[in-house]
Amino acid sequence: FANATSSLAPTEIVRYEPAAPTLPNVEHMLRWIRAMPRVDGVDKTDEAALRASTVFAATDAAGYLVAFAALALSTPYLLELHVHEDWRRRGFGSRLVALVKDAAAAALPGGRLRLTVADGNSPAIRLYDKAGFKPVGEEGEEGYSIFEYSLA
């Protein structure tokens, strides 16, 4: 991540619709995704899944990725949410979750938004709990929980 720790102020979070021809930083997103542990060791978000998702992305003023979320609206399922470590605790996670919830509620009013998180990822669990998500079960091998948010 050349210059990923830039101190340049971030720009706003931008929404990219599925198959957006201008989805920036796809390779950086995929590197972040591949660096994370996966349920049963399976990486469910490849480039095709990422490009088929609604993506919210924040970059710094130089265009370097600082945070993103990928949402499969048809399900709805939060596929990915990542904030670069140098940009954490600045509200990006909360803002991304709020945008994802709004997009999912608009697409499927009254439905449920789901996500999977590693049980050891305490910061993410706190973020989702604060945003109103509730644990509803486990996925795959032990150590991963499914969370849900009611879109009512």
Side-chain angles (χ1 to χ4, degrees), residues 102-139:
D102 289 348
L108 191 65
R112 298 194 177 282
L113 172 60
R114 288 185 149 210
L115 61 89
T116 303
V117 65
D119 292 340
N121 191 345
S122 298
I125 292 170
R126 281 192 301 274
L127 171 70
Y128 299 133
D129 182 59
K130 183 178 171 185
F133 285 81
K134 303 295 179 206
V136 295
E138 293 184 359
E139 182 175 338

PDB file of all heavy atoms in Angstrom, residues 102-139:
ATOM      1  N   ASP A 102     -28.724   1.968   5.373  1.00  0.00           N
ATOM      2  CA  ASP A 102     -29.660   2.768   4.589  1.00  0.00           C
ATOM      3  C   ASP A 102     -29.883   2.159   3.204  1.00  0.00           C
ATOM      4  O   ASP A 102     -31.021   2.083   2.727  1.00  0.00           O
ATOM      5  CB  ASP A 102     -29.157   4.208   4.446  1.00  0.00           C
ATOM      6  CG  ASP A 102     -29.237   5.002   5.742  1.00  0.00           C
ATOM      7  OD1 ASP A 102     -29.886   4.542   6.707  1.00  0.00           O
ATOM      8  OD2 ASP A 102     -28.628   6.091   5.787  1.00  0.00           O
ATOM      9  N   ALA A 103     -28.805   1.735   2.553  1.00  0.00           N
ATOM     10  CA  ALA A 103     -28.916   1.141   1.214  1.00  0.00           C
ATOM     11  C   ALA A 103     -29.716  -0.161   1.264  1.00  0.00           C
ATOM     12  O   ALA A 103     -30.565  -0.416   0.402  1.00  0.00           O
ATOM     13  CB  ALA A 103     -27.532   0.894   0.621  1.00  0.00           C
ATOM     14  N   ALA A 104     -29.448  -0.981   2.269  1.00  0.00           N
ATOM     15  CA  ALA A 104     -30.161  -2.255   2.395  1.00  0.00           C
ATOM     16  C   ALA A 104     -31.640  -2.023   2.699  1.00  0.00           C
ATOM     17  O   ALA A 104     -32.509  -2.698   2.143  1.00  0.00           O
ATOM     18  CB  ALA A 104     -29.514  -3.111   3.486  1.00  0.00           C
ATOM     19  N   ALA A 105     -31.944  -1.051   3.566  1.00  0.00           N
ATOM     20  CA  ALA A 105     -33.338  -0.763   3.905  1.00  0.00           C
ATOM     21  C   ALA A 105     -34.112  -0.246   2.690  1.00  0.00           C
ATOM     22  O   ALA A 105     -35.279  -0.572   2.510  1.00  0.00           O
ATOM     23  CB  ALA A 105     -33.403   0.251   5.047  1.00  0.00           C
ATOM     24  N   ALA A 106     -33.440   0.540   1.857  1.00  0.00           N
ATOM     25  CA  ALA A 106     -34.094   1.045   0.652  1.00  0.00           C
ATOM     26  C   ALA A 106     -34.353  -0.080  -0.354  1.00  0.00           C
ATOM     27  O   ALA A 106     -35.363  -0.074  -1.051  1.00  0.00           O
ATOM     28  CB  ALA A 106     -33.238   2.138   0.003  1.00  0.00           C
ATOM     29  N   ALA A 107     -33.447  -1.034  -0.405  1.00  0.00           N
ATOM     30  CA  ALA A 107     -33.579  -2.140  -1.361  1.00  0.00           C
ATOM     31  C   ALA A 107     -34.546  -3.211  -0.880  1.00  0.00           C
ATOM     32  O   ALA A 107     -35.214  -3.851  -1.692  1.00  0.00           O
ATOM     33  CB  ALA A 107     -32.208  -2.769  -1.615  1.00  0.00           C
ATOM     34  N   LEU A 108     -34.609  -3.418   0.423  1.00  0.00           N
ATOM     35  CA  LEU A 108     -35.428  -4.501   0.964  1.00  0.00           C
ATOM     36  C   LEU A 108     -36.078  -4.066   2.273  1.00  0.00           C
ATOM     37  O   LEU A 108     -35.702  -4.539   3.354  1.00  0.00           O
ATOM     38  CB  LEU A 108     -34.559  -5.749   1.181  1.00  0.00           C
ATOM     39  CG  LEU A 108     -35.293  -7.044   1.488  1.00  0.00           C
ATOM     40  CD1 LEU A 108     -36.149  -7.472   0.303  1.00  0.00           C
ATOM     41  CD2 LEU A 108     -34.303  -8.134   1.821  1.00  0.00           C
ATOM     42  N   PRO A 109     -37.042  -3.151   2.216  1.00  0.00           N
ATOM     43  CA  PRO A 109     -37.693  -2.691   3.449  1.00  0.00           C
ATOM     44  C   PRO A 109     -38.306  -3.864   4.204  1.00  0.00           C
ATOM     45  O   PRO A 109     -38.915  -4.741   3.608  1.00  0.00           O
ATOM     46  CB  PRO A 109     -38.790  -1.741   2.955  1.00  0.00           C
ATOM     47  CG  PRO A 109     -38.446  -1.424   1.541  1.00  0.00           C
ATOM     48  CD  PRO A 109     -37.622  -2.571   1.026  1.00  0.00           C
ATOM     49  N   GLY A 110     -38.103  -3.868   5.504  1.00  0.00           N
ATOM     50  CA  GLY A 110     -38.652  -4.931   6.333  1.00  0.00           C
ATOM     51  C   GLY A 110     -37.837  -6.205   6.357  1.00  0.00           C
ATOM     52  O   GLY A 110     -38.159  -7.140   7.079  1.00  0.00           O
ATOM     53  N   GLY A 111     -36.769  -6.260   5.592  1.00  0.00           N
ATOM     54  CA  GLY A 111     -35.922  -7.447   5.562  1.00  0.00           C
ATOM     55  C   GLY A 111     -34.878  -7.437   6.669  1.00  0.00           C
ATOM     56  O   GLY A 111     -35.006  -6.719   7.661  1.00  0.00           O
ATOM     57  N   ARG A 112     -33.866  -8.241   6.479  1.00  0.00           N
ATOM     58  CA  ARG A 112     -32.774  -8.335   7.455  1.00  0.00           C
ATOM     59  C   ARG A 112     -31.446  -8.241   6.736  1.00  0.00           C
ATOM     60  O   ARG A 112     -31.248  -8.869   5.701  1.00  0.00           O
ATOM     61  CB  ARG A 112     -32.857  -9.639   8.224  1.00  0.00           C
ATOM     62  CG  ARG A 112     -34.132  -9.770   9.038  1.00  0.00           C
ATOM     63  CD  ARG A 112     -34.019 -10.912  10.051  1.00  0.00           C
ATOM     64  NE  ARG A 112     -35.203 -11.001  10.867  1.00  0.00           N
ATOM     65  CZ  ARG A 112     -35.480 -10.206  11.898  1.00  0.00           C
ATOM     66  NH1 ARG A 112     -34.662  -9.244  12.212  1.00  0.00           N
ATOM     67  NH2 ARG A 112     -36.578 -10.371  12.602  1.00  0.00           N
ATOM     68  N   LEU A 113     -30.549  -7.467   7.303  1.00  0.00           N
ATOM     69  CA  LEU A 113     -29.184  -7.335   6.811  1.00  0.00           C
ATOM     70  C   LEU A 113     -28.310  -8.254   7.642  1.00  0.00           C
ATOM     71  O   LEU A 113     -28.381  -8.234   8.867  1.00  0.00           O
ATOM     72  CB  LEU A 113     -28.717  -5.881   6.943  1.00  0.00           C
ATOM     73  CG  LEU A 113     -27.257  -5.574   6.654  1.00  0.00           C
ATOM     74  CD1 LEU A 113     -26.881  -5.940   5.219  1.00  0.00           C
ATOM     75  CD2 LEU A 113     -26.979  -4.096   6.930  1.00  0.00           C
ATOM     76  N   ARG A 114     -27.513  -9.083   6.980  1.00  0.00           N
ATOM     77  CA  ARG A 114     -26.657 -10.041   7.687  1.00  0.00           C
ATOM     78  C   ARG A 114     -25.194  -9.772   7.410  1.00  0.00           C
ATOM     79  O   ARG A 114     -24.833  -9.191   6.396  1.00  0.00           O
ATOM     80  CB  ARG A 114     -26.972 -11.477   7.260  1.00  0.00           C
ATOM     81  CG  ARG A 114     -28.284 -11.972   7.779  1.00  0.00           C
ATOM     82  CD  ARG A 114     -28.506 -13.430   7.453  1.00  0.00           C
ATOM     83  NE  ARG A 114     -29.313 -13.978   8.531  1.00  0.00           N
ATOM     84  CZ  ARG A 114     -29.266 -15.220   8.945  1.00  0.00           C
ATOM     85  NH1 ARG A 114     -28.462 -16.082   8.368  1.00  0.00           N
ATOM     86  NH2 ARG A 114     -30.031 -15.633   9.919  1.00  0.00           N
ATOM     87  N   LEU A 115     -24.362 -10.274   8.319  1.00  0.00           N
ATOM     88  CA  LEU A 115     -22.913 -10.236   8.153  1.00  0.00           C
ATOM     89  C   LEU A 115     -22.310 -11.334   9.003  1.00  0.00           C
ATOM     90  O   LEU A 115     -22.958 -11.871   9.899  1.00  0.00           O
ATOM     91  CB  LEU A 115     -22.348  -8.864   8.547  1.00  0.00           C
ATOM     92  CG  LEU A 115     -22.567  -8.406   9.989  1.00  0.00           C
ATOM     93  CD1 LEU A 115     -21.454  -8.866  10.912  1.00  0.00           C
ATOM     94  CD2 LEU A 115     -22.665  -6.893  10.029  1.00  0.00           C
ATOM     95  N   THR A 116     -21.074 -11.679   8.701  1.00  0.00           N
ATOM     96  CA  THR A 116     -20.327 -12.656   9.483  1.00  0.00           C
ATOM     97  C   THR A 116     -19.074 -11.976   9.996  1.00  0.00           C
ATOM     98  O   THR A 116     -18.420 -11.231   9.268  1.00  0.00           O
ATOM     99  CB  THR A 116     -19.932 -13.864   8.613  1.00  0.00           C
ATOM    100  OG1 THR A 116     -21.115 -14.431   8.057  1.00  0.00           O
ATOM    101  CG2 THR A 116     -19.213 -14.922   9.430  1.00  0.00           C
ATOM    102  N   VAL A 117     -18.743 -12.225  11.259  1.00  0.00           N
ATOM    103  CA  VAL A 117     -17.551 -11.617  11.855  1.00  0.00           C
ATOM    104  C   VAL A 117     -16.831 -12.652  12.708  1.00  0.00           C
ATOM    105  O   VAL A 117     -17.463 -13.508  13.328  1.00  0.00           O
ATOM    106  CB  VAL A 117     -17.934 -10.361  12.679  1.00  0.00           C
ATOM    107  CG1 VAL A 117     -18.795 -10.702  13.869  1.00  0.00           C
ATOM    108  CG2 VAL A 117     -16.705  -9.584  13.109  1.00  0.00           C
ATOM    109  N   ALA A 118     -15.505 -12.583  12.690  1.00  0.00           N
ATOM    110  CA  ALA A 118     -14.704 -13.477  13.525  1.00  0.00           C
ATOM    111  C   ALA A 118     -14.947 -13.127  14.992  1.00  0.00           C
ATOM    112  O   ALA A 118     -14.950 -11.948  15.365  1.00  0.00           O
ATOM    113  CB  ALA A 118     -13.227 -13.339  13.186  1.00  0.00           C
ATOM    114  N   ASP A 119     -15.152 -14.147  15.822  1.00  0.00           N
ATOM    115  CA  ASP A 119     -15.433 -13.914  17.236  1.00  0.00           C
ATOM    116  C   ASP A 119     -14.328 -13.126  17.930  1.00  0.00           C
ATOM    117  O   ASP A 119     -14.583 -12.387  18.865  1.00  0.00           O
ATOM    118  CB  ASP A 119     -15.654 -15.239  17.962  1.00  0.00           C
ATOM    119  CG  ASP A 119     -16.940 -15.931  17.524  1.00  0.00           C
ATOM    120  OD1 ASP A 119     -17.826 -15.255  16.971  1.00  0.00           O
ATOM    121  OD2 ASP A 119     -17.042 -17.149  17.738  1.00  0.00           O
ATOM    122  N   GLY A 120     -13.101 -13.240  17.462  1.00  0.00           N
ATOM    123  CA  GLY A 120     -11.978 -12.529  18.069  1.00  0.00           C
ATOM    124  C   GLY A 120     -11.831 -11.093  17.602  1.00  0.00           C
ATOM    125  O   GLY A 120     -10.970 -10.362  18.096  1.00  0.00           O
ATOM    126  N   ASN A 121     -12.671 -10.659  16.679  1.00  0.00           N
ATOM    127  CA  ASN A 121     -12.573  -9.296  16.152  1.00  0.00           C
ATOM    128  C   ASN A 121     -13.432  -8.363  17.015  1.00  0.00           C
ATOM    129  O   ASN A 121     -14.487  -7.889  16.603  1.00  0.00           O
ATOM    130  CB  ASN A 121     -13.010  -9.270  14.686  1.00  0.00           C
ATOM    131  CG  ASN A 121     -12.699  -7.963  14.008  1.00  0.00           C
ATOM    132  OD1 ASN A 121     -12.400  -6.960  14.652  1.00  0.00           O
ATOM    133  ND2 ASN A 121     -12.784  -7.968  12.688  1.00  0.00           N
ATOM    134  N   SER A 122     -12.946  -8.103  18.222  1.00  0.00           N
ATOM    135  CA  SER A 122     -13.702  -7.307  19.193  1.00  0.00           C
ATOM    136  C   SER A 122     -14.079  -5.919  18.697  1.00  0.00           C
ATOM    137  O   SER A 122     -15.206  -5.468  18.933  1.00  0.00           O
ATOM    138  CB  SER A 122     -12.923  -7.192  20.505  1.00  0.00           C
ATOM    139  OG  SER A 122     -12.737  -8.462  21.057  1.00  0.00           O
ATOM    140  N   PRO A 123     -13.171  -5.192  18.016  1.00  0.00           N
ATOM    141  CA  PRO A 123     -13.576  -3.870  17.530  1.00  0.00           C
ATOM    142  C   PRO A 123     -14.760  -3.935  16.560  1.00  0.00           C
ATOM    143  O   PRO A 123     -15.676  -3.112  16.638  1.00  0.00           O
ATOM    144  CB  PRO A 123     -12.320  -3.338  16.827  1.00  0.00           C
ATOM    145  CG  PRO A 123     -11.188  -4.070  17.473  1.00  0.00           C
ATOM    146  CD  PRO A 123     -11.743  -5.436  17.782  1.00  0.00           C
ATOM    147  N   ALA A 124     -14.765  -4.920  15.667  1.00  0.00           N
ATOM    148  CA  ALA A 124     -15.875  -5.054  14.722  1.00  0.00           C
ATOM    149  C   ALA A 124     -17.161  -5.438  15.446  1.00  0.00           C
ATOM    150  O   ALA A 124     -18.231  -4.895  15.158  1.00  0.00           O
ATOM    151  CB  ALA A 124     -15.540  -6.080  13.645  1.00  0.00           C
ATOM    152  N   ILE A 125     -17.064  -6.338  16.402  1.00  0.00           N
ATOM    153  CA  ILE A 125     -18.248  -6.755  17.155  1.00  0.00           C
ATOM    154  C   ILE A 125     -18.843  -5.565  17.906  1.00  0.00           C
ATOM    155  O   ILE A 125     -20.058  -5.360  17.914  1.00  0.00           O
ATOM    156  CB  ILE A 125     -17.917  -7.928  18.094  1.00  0.00           C
ATOM    157  CG1 ILE A 125     -17.600  -9.179  17.256  1.00  0.00           C
ATOM    158  CG2 ILE A 125     -19.060  -8.190  19.083  1.00  0.00           C
ATOM    159  CD1 ILE A 125     -17.022 -10.327  18.038  1.00  0.00           C
ATOM    160  N   ARG A 126     -17.991  -4.729  18.518  1.00  0.00           N
ATOM    161  CA  ARG A 126     -18.484  -3.532  19.204  1.00  0.00           C
ATOM    162  C   ARG A 126     -19.169  -2.576  18.214  1.00  0.00           C
ATOM    163  O   ARG A 126     -20.219  -2.009  18.507  1.00  0.00           O
ATOM    164  CB  ARG A 126     -17.346  -2.807  19.919  1.00  0.00           C
ATOM    165  CG  ARG A 126     -16.945  -3.437  21.238  1.00  0.00           C
ATOM    166  CD  ARG A 126     -16.032  -2.544  22.054  1.00  0.00           C
ATOM    167  NE  ARG A 126     -14.794  -2.190  21.365  1.00  0.00           N
ATOM    168  CZ  ARG A 126     -13.686  -2.929  21.362  1.00  0.00           C
ATOM    169  NH1 ARG A 126     -13.668  -4.090  22.008  1.00  0.00           N
ATOM    170  NH2 ARG A 126     -12.609  -2.521  20.723  1.00  0.00           N
ATOM    171  N   LEU A 127     -18.554  -2.415  17.047  1.00  0.00           N
ATOM    172  CA  LEU A 127     -19.129  -1.541  16.017  1.00  0.00           C
ATOM    173  C   LEU A 127     -20.516  -2.031  15.610  1.00  0.00           C
ATOM    174  O   LEU A 127     -21.478  -1.248  15.585  1.00  0.00           O
ATOM    175  CB  LEU A 127     -18.206  -1.497  14.792  1.00  0.00           C
ATOM    176  CG  LEU A 127     -18.754  -0.806  13.550  1.00  0.00           C
ATOM    177  CD1 LEU A 127     -18.866   0.693  13.775  1.00  0.00           C
ATOM    178  CD2 LEU A 127     -17.861  -1.100  12.350  1.00  0.00           C
ATOM    179  N   TYR A 128     -20.646  -3.314  15.316  1.00  0.00           N
ATOM    180  CA  TYR A 128     -21.923  -3.858  14.868  1.00  0.00           C
ATOM    181  C   TYR A 128     -22.953  -3.845  15.988  1.00  0.00           C
ATOM    182  O   TYR A 128     -24.126  -3.564  15.762  1.00  0.00           O
ATOM    183  CB  TYR A 128     -21.742  -5.262  14.296  1.00  0.00           C
ATOM    184  CG  TYR A 128     -20.823  -5.281  13.094  1.00  0.00           C
ATOM    185  CD1 TYR A 128     -19.794  -6.211  12.983  1.00  0.00           C
ATOM    186  CD2 TYR A 128     -20.962  -4.353  12.069  1.00  0.00           C
ATOM    187  CE1 TYR A 128     -18.943  -6.223  11.884  1.00  0.00           C
ATOM    188  CE2 TYR A 128     -20.124  -4.351  10.971  1.00  0.00           C
ATOM    189  CZ  TYR A 128     -19.115  -5.292  10.882  1.00  0.00           C
ATOM    190  OH  TYR A 128     -18.282  -5.283   9.801  1.00  0.00           O
ATOM    191  N   ASP A 129     -22.533  -4.129  17.218  1.00  0.00           N
ATOM    192  CA  ASP A 129     -23.436  -4.087  18.361  1.00  0.00           C
ATOM    193  C   ASP A 129     -23.966  -2.657  18.551  1.00  0.00           C
ATOM    194  O   ASP A 129     -25.169  -2.452  18.723  1.00  0.00           O
ATOM    195  CB  ASP A 129     -22.714  -4.573  19.620  1.00  0.00           C
ATOM    196  CG  ASP A 129     -23.621  -4.598  20.820  1.00  0.00           C
ATOM    197  OD1 ASP A 129     -24.653  -5.300  20.785  1.00  0.00           O
ATOM    198  OD2 ASP A 129     -23.308  -3.890  21.810  1.00  0.00           O
ATOM    199  N   LYS A 130     -23.082  -1.688  18.488  1.00  0.00           N
ATOM    200  CA  LYS A 130     -23.467  -0.282  18.636  1.00  0.00           C
ATOM    201  C   LYS A 130     -24.442   0.146  17.533  1.00  0.00           C
ATOM    202  O   LYS A 130     -25.315   0.979  17.748  1.00  0.00           O
ATOM    203  CB  LYS A 130     -22.212   0.598  18.601  1.00  0.00           C
ATOM    204  CG  LYS A 130     -22.450   2.049  18.816  1.00  0.00           C
ATOM    205  CD  LYS A 130     -21.125   2.808  18.797  1.00  0.00           C
ATOM    206  CE  LYS A 130     -21.348   4.305  18.785  1.00  0.00           C
ATOM    207  NZ  LYS A 130     -20.088   5.040  18.658  1.00  0.00           N
ATOM    208  N   ALA A 131     -24.295  -0.455  16.354  1.00  0.00           N
ATOM    209  CA  ALA A 131     -25.158  -0.126  15.213  1.00  0.00           C
ATOM    210  C   ALA A 131     -26.481  -0.886  15.238  1.00  0.00           C
ATOM    211  O   ALA A 131     -27.299  -0.735  14.329  1.00  0.00           O
ATOM    212  CB  ALA A 131     -24.421  -0.406  13.906  1.00  0.00           C
ATOM    213  N   GLY A 132     -26.702  -1.729  16.255  1.00  0.00           N
ATOM    214  CA  GLY A 132     -27.976  -2.425  16.388  1.00  0.00           C
ATOM    215  C   GLY A 132     -28.022  -3.841  15.862  1.00  0.00           C
ATOM    216  O   GLY A 132     -29.079  -4.463  15.850  1.00  0.00           O
ATOM    217  N   PHE A 133     -26.897  -4.383  15.408  1.00  0.00           N
ATOM    218  CA  PHE A 133     -26.854  -5.768  14.957  1.00  0.00           C
ATOM    219  C   PHE A 133     -26.904  -6.702  16.157  1.00  0.00           C
ATOM    220  O   PHE A 133     -26.366  -6.391  17.215  1.00  0.00           O
ATOM    221  CB  PHE A 133     -25.577  -6.046  14.161  1.00  0.00           C
ATOM    222  CG  PHE A 133     -25.572  -5.477  12.775  1.00  0.00           C
ATOM    223  CD1 PHE A 133     -25.277  -4.142  12.562  1.00  0.00           C
ATOM    224  CD2 PHE A 133     -25.876  -6.273  11.679  1.00  0.00           C
ATOM    225  CE1 PHE A 133     -25.273  -3.607  11.284  1.00  0.00           C
ATOM    226  CE2 PHE A 133     -25.868  -5.751  10.395  1.00  0.00           C
ATOM    227  CZ  PHE A 133     -25.573  -4.410  10.199  1.00  0.00           C
ATOM    228  N   LYS A 134     -27.543  -7.857  15.973  1.00  0.00           N
ATOM    229  CA  LYS A 134     -27.655  -8.857  17.034  1.00  0.00           C
ATOM    230  C   LYS A 134     -27.091 -10.187  16.549  1.00  0.00           C
ATOM    231  O   LYS A 134     -27.327 -10.580  15.399  1.00  0.00           O
ATOM    232  CB  LYS A 134     -29.122  -9.066  17.430  1.00  0.00           C
ATOM    233  CG  LYS A 134     -29.817  -7.801  17.884  1.00  0.00           C
ATOM    234  CD  LYS A 134     -29.228  -7.267  19.158  1.00  0.00           C
ATOM    235  CE  LYS A 134     -29.914  -5.980  19.579  1.00  0.00           C
ATOM    236  NZ  LYS A 134     -29.095  -5.128  20.380  1.00  0.00           N
ATOM    237  N   PRO A 135     -26.353 -10.909  17.416  1.00  0.00           N
ATOM    238  CA  PRO A 135     -25.856 -12.236  17.012  1.00  0.00           C
ATOM    239  C   PRO A 135     -27.025 -13.201  16.880  1.00  0.00           C
ATOM    240  O   PRO A 135     -27.929 -13.213  17.712  1.00  0.00           O
ATOM    241  CB  PRO A 135     -24.922 -12.634  18.153  1.00  0.00           C
ATOM    242  CG  PRO A 135     -25.302 -11.782  19.315  1.00  0.00           C
ATOM    243  CD  PRO A 135     -25.947 -10.541  18.767  1.00  0.00           C
ATOM    244  N   VAL A 136     -27.011 -14.005  15.791  1.00  0.00           N
ATOM    245  CA  VAL A 136     -28.113 -14.943  15.559  1.00  0.00           C
ATOM    246  C   VAL A 136     -27.633 -16.370  15.318  1.00  0.00           C
ATOM    247  O   VAL A 136     -28.450 -17.259  15.132  1.00  0.00           O
ATOM    248  CB  VAL A 136     -28.999 -14.500  14.369  1.00  0.00           C
ATOM    249  CG1 VAL A 136     -29.709 -13.191  14.690  1.00  0.00           C
ATOM    250  CG2 VAL A 136     -28.204 -14.387  13.089  1.00  0.00           C
ATOM    251  N   GLY A 137     -26.336 -16.603  15.311  1.00  0.00           N
ATOM    252  CA  GLY A 137     -25.840 -17.955  15.094  1.00  0.00           C
ATOM    253  C   GLY A 137     -24.370 -17.961  14.726  1.00  0.00           C
ATOM    254  O   GLY A 137     -23.680 -16.954  14.817  1.00  0.00           O
ATOM    255  N   GLU A 138     -23.907 -19.146  14.326  1.00  0.00           N
ATOM    256  CA  GLU A 138     -22.516 -19.325  13.928  1.00  0.00           C
ATOM    257  C   GLU A 138     -22.458 -19.802  12.489  1.00  0.00           C
ATOM    258  O   GLU A 138     -23.400 -20.405  11.986  1.00  0.00           O
ATOM    259  CB  GLU A 138     -21.820 -20.326  14.838  1.00  0.00           C
ATOM    260  CG  GLU A 138     -21.666 -19.842  16.257  1.00  0.00           C
ATOM    261  CD  GLU A 138     -20.885 -20.814  17.125  1.00  0.00           C
ATOM    262  OE1 GLU A 138     -20.471 -21.879  16.638  1.00  0.00           O
ATOM    263  OE2 GLU A 138     -20.705 -20.496  18.302  1.00  0.00           O
ATOM    264  N   GLU A 139     -21.323 -19.540  11.841  1.00  0.00           N
ATOM    265  CA  GLU A 139     -21.127 -19.991  10.469  1.00  0.00           C
ATOM    266  C   GLU A 139     -19.831 -20.783  10.388  1.00  0.00           C
ATOM    267  O   GLU A 139     -18.809 -20.377  10.935  1.00  0.00           O
ATOM    268  CB  GLU A 139     -21.047 -18.808   9.501  1.00  0.00           C
ATOM    269  CG  GLU A 139     -20.884 -19.251   8.065  1.00  0.00           C
ATOM    270  CD  GLU A 139     -20.924 -18.093   7.090  1.00  0.00           C
ATOM    271  OE1 GLU A 139     -21.463 -17.041   7.409  1.00  0.00           O
ATOM    272  OE2 GLU A 139     -20.401 -18.273   5.978  1.00  0.00           O
TER     273      GLU A 139
END
